[in-house]
Amino acid sequence: MPADSPRDDTASTPKQRAAVRSWPMRILLWSGGAAVAGALSALAIAGVALAVAYPNLPDISELQNYRPKLPLRIYSADGQLLGEFGEERRNLTPFAQIPAVMKNAVLSIEDARFYEHSGVDYKGMLRAAVANLGRAKSQGASTITMQVARNVYLSSEKTFTRKLYEVLLTFKLEHLLSKDQILEIYMNQIYLGNRAYGFAAAAETYFGKPMKDLTVAEAAMLAGLPKAPSAYNPISNPSRARARQQYIIERMEENGFITAAQAEAARHQELKIRPANDHGHTHAEYVAETVRQLVYAQYGEDAYTRGLNVVTSINASRQEAAYKALRKGIMDYEKRQIYRGPEEFVELPSNRKDLEEAIDDALTEHPDNGDVMAAVVLEANPKKIVAVRQNAERFEITGEGLRAAQSGLSPKAPPKTHIRPGAVIRVMFNTAKNSWEITQLPEVEGAFVALDPRNGSVQALVGGFDFYKNKFNHVTQAWRQPGSGFKPFIYSAALEKGFTPSTVVNDGPLFFDAGVTGGQPWEPKNYDGKFEGPMPLHEALAKSKNMVSIRILQAVGPQNAQDWITRFGFEADKHPAYLTMALGAGSVTPMQMATGYSVFANGGYRVNPWLISKIVDHRGKVLVETQPPLPTEAMRAIDARNAFVMDRLLNEVARSGTAASASRILKRTDLYGKTGTTNDSIDTWFNGFHQSLVAIVWMGYDNPRPLGDRETGGSMSLPVWINFMETALKGVPETTPTAPAGVVNVGGEWYFDEYAPGAGAGVSSLGLNTAASSDPAPASAPGGEVGVTPTAPLVPVVPLTPVNGPRPPDRSLQNADGQPPQRPVEERRSILDLFRN
């Protein structure tokens, strides 16, 4: 080719063309080598990481016997849940008992390929990576096994080290446990909000039902909680919870767990979510707290984590009846009180959103108290109130519903009590009238306790109006004056002194000046201020005559009576040997009154109250168990004859005396009891029983003050007792007590053999010649001789140890052999003991 010829750039030699073709191969080989080197480096790094991390993995062998923290649960005798204590509410459920609908809902949303992968779902990870492209918020790809590893052993921090441990633990779990075991742990361990751990606890928390009864819609709602328990909480975020529920139903259908028809039905099912303040079980908060204290004293902090189940003596239906009866009695009393005004006043913004927030804030600070609910007034005039509750429900109160607050609706009402827009008030819904009515939170308190007198088992106990408002247990902790409810124990002592139901005692005035009393002059009165003159003992008790009780105590002797009442469980030092003891001026607890009246109800035996019958662990192993004690002669407190005659007297009180409405309303003749009202109506009581059930009701203010001139044990406490007994004695046949040996019926009245008419040994009359005196003559010693009719005013105090030597033995309080009666057996000193006198 000539030198000046154009160069042909396309021409090349075979060697050159081969060199050109080798560059792609070199690049490919170089890239492959780099990849292999990178992989080897990654493997080397991973190997080093594994070598370092694997030995530091926690020992997971304990999961083969999975035992999470389980709360302390307290049950009634008939299996109803009364209370639960522990940081984690959990009901451990074996895999076989978890319903398929719950498993399928969880698998559909959390890990549909759970039974296909080996712990790490690579397809799921790839799918999540693709889905996350272009998103600011990542989509997770954790399997159920990975979640178990994280929830049981690791924190939730997002670091490479934690993720490495999570993956390693996942492989370890898959190697050690079966898929069913892993899923069982997950279903029991996962936190689902509102202190609920595991789906069994969540079913109770959110729907108030066992997990086995969940529907598809309910299971789907619960399955949405693990991702974010607060965000998808059906109580606090119902709209977001429902949106996620609908998505899960769709996933369940896509995965073939439910049919199209089932999915459609689930989408439209209306769910009934339990409110946050609805505990869903029998109201026995005071019982549960008492048991908690006892169990904690025995087991310490382990009581809240080892899954102890405590069975009590409580009867659930009777407990609920007692709770409702006491609350109704207190609220009925509250309706008779002057309206004290709204609890608070809040500003109501004109902007709708701001208004809703202001109302929510106000009602959050004033939570509902059972059926006594809080509301904010939007409009108010003397004829109508428009108010709103926390669920944004608007309602009107008119007519009779305004009666309790008429003074607060008057335009002339003081600013503090005036009901106006922005006022926070209390309302109740009257189901009988299908209307709302205004009310107020009560200031008065109450107590209710019921025992089975045959063995001392506590059947119902309500320590106050509301445990969350006032945790003070008035049944066991409140020392109050018993008033006339204490008279039967004085009458019981009198029977041993020769008194009979027919003994005539003068209901005439008495006066004691300071020289006799050693203090203030004392002129006792009957409640109604009237004196009716001579009357038989049984009528005097039925009418609760104070003058008669004082004369009886003088004849018995205050010291003798003080000794006598200890047989019933009362403490002598709480009842000084003064004549005021006859009117109930000492101090008792409602539980002591229940113990005392049980002696009359069971034929004369002293039984100690008890509450815990059995404690078992989560495996069902019995740790503690007791059998109800049967009365024996070692437990005898008073003679059977004494108890029988006292029952006759107390029956008259309930049939024709101050508690006559009991027999009339309940339409029974086998009821017994005694009303009690202290000076100025500071304490009101009703202490009553059937032979199978003793029930005590007390009402009063924590800081003692008068309840009102017209308030008595018969008007306040007796209605509560009747309300309870309507439920408690339903289906219980009427009983007639059997007369014990040593009593005789003469003319329709019962007497001890030796004191019967004609025997000549009983006290026929007392105080018939006693006149009121402002300057009484020196008193004789308290009557100990039978048949004596004292003629002098009664000495208010008898020295414990007379100056002339020890007090002689009182033969009327001894057994036939001249020895003192055997005292009740020592109380049990184990965890099964609840109340100690």
Side-chain angles (χ1 to χ4, degrees), residues 46-312:
V48 173
L50 287 174
V52 174
Y54 199 84
N56 293 323
L57 292 178
D59 180 12
I60 64 173
S61 60
E62 62 183 20
L63 286 182
Q64 290 178 306
N65 294 301
Y66 174 61
R67 290 294 176 264
K69 292 180 180 179
L70 299 175
L72 166 67
R73 287 192 175 91
I74 299 163
Y75 294 91
S76 67
D78 44 350
Q80 297 298 309
L81 181 65
L82 302 181
E84 189 175 50
F85 297 93
E87 293 182 4
E88 300 180 4
R89 293 176 179 170
R90 182 184 281 109
N91 189 358
L92 185 60
T93 308
F95 183 80
Q97 296 178 20
I98 301 174
V101 66
M102 192 69 254
K103 297 174 188 173
N104 293 337
V106 169
L107 292 174
S108 294
I109 190 62
E110 293 295 331
D111 193 353
R113 299 184 64 254
F114 173 70
Y115 282 97
E116 300 173 21
H117 60 67
S118 59
V120 177
D121 186 2
Y122 300 105
K123 291 183 179 180
M125 293 176 68
L126 180 61
R127 184 173 58 250
V130 172
N132 290 335
L133 290 176
R135 292 190 181 184
K137 199 169 184 179
S138 64
Q139 176 177 314
S142 292
T143 65
I144 283 178
T145 311
M146 295 168 75
Q147 291 184 59
V148 169
R150 180 169 63 248
N151 290 329
V152 177
Y153 293 106
L154 303 174
S155 68
S156 58
E157 62 177 345
K158 295 182 178 181
T159 65
F160 175 80
T161 302
R162 199 274 298 162
K163 196 66 178 178
L164 173 62
Y165 276 110
E166 181 181 308
V167 172
L168 295 178
L169 275 174
T170 296
F171 291 138
K172 198 171 183 179
L173 285 170
E174 289 277 347
H175 176 74
L176 181 68
L177 305 175
S178 69
K179 287 287 189 179
D180 288 351
Q181 287 177 305
I182 294 171
L183 187 56
E184 176 185 309
I185 294 171
Y186 178 83
M187 300 287 283
N188 282 283
Q189 181 69 23
I190 195 71
Y191 176 62
L192 300 171
N194 283 50
R195 289 176 53 209
Y197 288 77
F199 289 93
E204 293 284 354
T205 298
Y206 295 108
F207 298 113
K209 60 168 59 177
M211 183 168 56
K212 64 182 180 63
D213 295 335
L214 291 175
T215 65
V216 171
E218 291 166 340
M221 180 71 77
L222 297 183
L225 289 167
K227 182 178 181 180
S230 58
Y232 299 110
N233 188 309
I235 296 174
S236 57
N237 289 302
S239 58
R240 294 187 67 180
R242 177 165 175 77
R244 184 158 176 80
Q245 174 218 34
Q246 296 295 306
Y247 174 63
I248 293 174
I249 292 173
E250 179 183 331
R251 294 277 306 186
M252 293 177 73
E253 182 182 3
E254 291 176 357
N255 284 285
F257 290 132
I258 57 175
T259 65
Q262 289 175 314
E264 186 65 18
R267 290 189 186 99
H268 294 92
Q269 181 184 343
E270 183 178 349
L271 302 185
K272 295 181 179 180
I273 306 297
R274 175 189 289 176
N277 60 353
D278 178 8
H279 303 286
H281 49 68
T282 303
H283 283 282
E285 291 83 3
Y286 290 96
V287 173
E289 173 59 17
T290 302
V291 173
R292 182 200 68 78
Q293 293 177 16
L294 290 168
V295 176
Y296 180 82
Q298 186 80 1
Y299 296 100
E301 292 294 333
D302 287 349
Y304 306 134
T305 60
R306 60 183 293 184
L308 297 178
N309 295 310
V310 182
V311 180
T312 68

Side-chain angles (χ1 to χ4, degrees), residues 719-801:
V720 175
W721 190 89
I722 293 173
N723 196 348
F724 168 77
M725 284 295 189
E726 282 182 324
T727 298
L729 295 182
K730 189 173 294 182
V732 177
E734 287 200 35
T735 59
T736 302
T738 302
V743 296
V744 60
N745 191 292
V746 179
E749 191 59 81
W750 291 97
Y751 303 86
F752 291 6
D753 283 345
E754 64 271 29
Y755 301 144
V763 178
S764 60
S765 63
L766 177 66
L768 300 188
N769 298 324
T770 302
S773 172
S774 60
D775 186 20
S780 60
E785 303 95 334
V786 294
V788 173
T789 301
T791 58
L794 310 184
V795 184
V797 181
V798 175
L800 297 180
T801 306

Side-chain angles (χ1 to χ4, degrees), residues 368-709:
D368 292 346
N369 189 294
D371 54 354
V372 183
M373 297 168 278
V376 174
V377 175
L378 301 178
E379 303 174 24
N381 61 60
K383 294 185 177 181
K384 184 176 72 173
I385 288 177
V386 177
V388 62
R389 297 226 318 105
Q390 197 160 32
N391 57 4
E393 173 191 3
R394 294 194 179 204
F395 58 92
E396 294 183 357
I397 308 175
T398 58
E400 286 295 313
L402 299 174
R403 180 181 295 273
Q406 280 297 329
S407 61
L409 290 168
S410 170
K412 297 180 180 180
K416 184 178 179 181
T417 62
H418 187 213
I419 300 175
R420 58 185 185 272
V424 179
I425 62 173
R426 292 285 166 169
V427 297
M428 296 181 69
F429 187 76
N430 189 321
T431 54
K433 297 181 180 180
N434 194 34
S435 62
W436 289 93
E437 58 187 37
I438 191 169
T439 185
Q440 55 190 346
L441 278 176
E443 294 180 348
V444 74
E445 271 293 354
F448 186 101
V449 61
L451 300 180
D452 185 335
R454 297 165 295 188
N455 56 32
S457 60
V458 180
Q459 297 288 291
L461 186 153
V462 185
F465 177 74
D466 189 298
F467 177 79
Y468 300 103
K469 177 173 173 278
N470 185 350
K471 294 180 172 59
F472 184 79
N473 190 336
H474 296 83
V475 169
T476 59
Q477 296 177 291
W479 291 92
R480 308 294 296 213
Q481 288 188 331
S484 298
F486 202 70
K487 290 176 181 176
F489 306 105
I490 305 301
Y491 276 59
S492 173
L495 294 181
E496 298 296 323
K497 286 288 192 176
F499 284 75
T500 73
S502 298
T503 299
V504 176
V505 185
N506 186 22
D507 176 34
L510 290 168
F511 176 80
F512 305 95
D513 64 21
V516 175
T517 64
Q520 295 291 329
W522 183 40
E523 187 176 6
K525 302 287 186 182
N526 285 321
Y527 174 75
D528 57 6
K530 300 177 181 179
F531 302 101
E532 298 187 37
M535 63 177 58
L537 201 72
H538 65 84
E539 181 182 349
L541 184 62
K543 293 183 176 180
S544 196
K545 291 295 185 177
N546 290 342
M547 303 304 106
V548 173
S549 296
I550 294 172
R551 285 187 163 92
I552 290 174
L553 180 56
Q554 188 265 352
V556 171
Q559 181 61 63
N560 292 335
Q562 186 190 51
D563 291 343
W564 184 256
I565 64 169
T566 61
R567 296 164 177 262
F568 297 88
F570 300 110
E571 300 176 25
D573 62 347
K574 299 287 187 180
H575 302 270
Y578 290 78
L579 290 183
T580 50
M581 189 197 318
L583 308 185
S587 297
V588 300
T589 66
M591 182 58 76
Q592 284 186 332
M593 293 294 276
T595 303
Y597 273 85
S598 292
V599 176
F600 295 138
N602 64 27
Y605 299 99
R606 164 85 177 278
V607 292
N608 292 316
W610 58 275
L611 186 57
I612 297 176
S613 62
K614 185 165 59 176
I615 301 177
V616 300
D617 65 14
H618 68 279
R619 299 184 184 90
K621 180 183 178 182
V622 176
L623 304 179
V624 177
E625 187 171 21
T626 185
Q627 294 297 324
L630 298 176
T632 65
E633 286 307 304
M635 300 168 62
R636 181 165 291 286
I638 62 175
D639 189 78
R641 301 185 307 168
N642 190 301
F644 179 79
V645 175
M646 284 304 306
D647 286 357
R648 175 263 176 274
L649 296 177
L650 293 169
N651 181 247
E652 183 172 343
V653 176
R655 296 182 71 173
S656 61
T658 56
S661 57
S663 295
R664 184 179 70 251
I665 295 174
L666 296 176
K667 297 180 173 59
R668 300 182 70 106
T669 61
D670 56 347
L671 303 176
Y672 314 81
K674 183 68 185 74
T675 52
T677 309
T678 63
N679 281 351
D680 298 322
S681 296
I682 289 176
D683 296 278
T684 69
W685 299 76
F686 185 72
N687 316 282
F689 61 91
H690 175 270
Q691 286 187 330
S692 64
L693 189 64
V694 173
I696 307 296
V697 181
W698 165 84
M699 291 175 66
Y701 289 103
D702 278 339
N703 295 318
R705 69 176 193 260
L707 291 161
D709 292 341

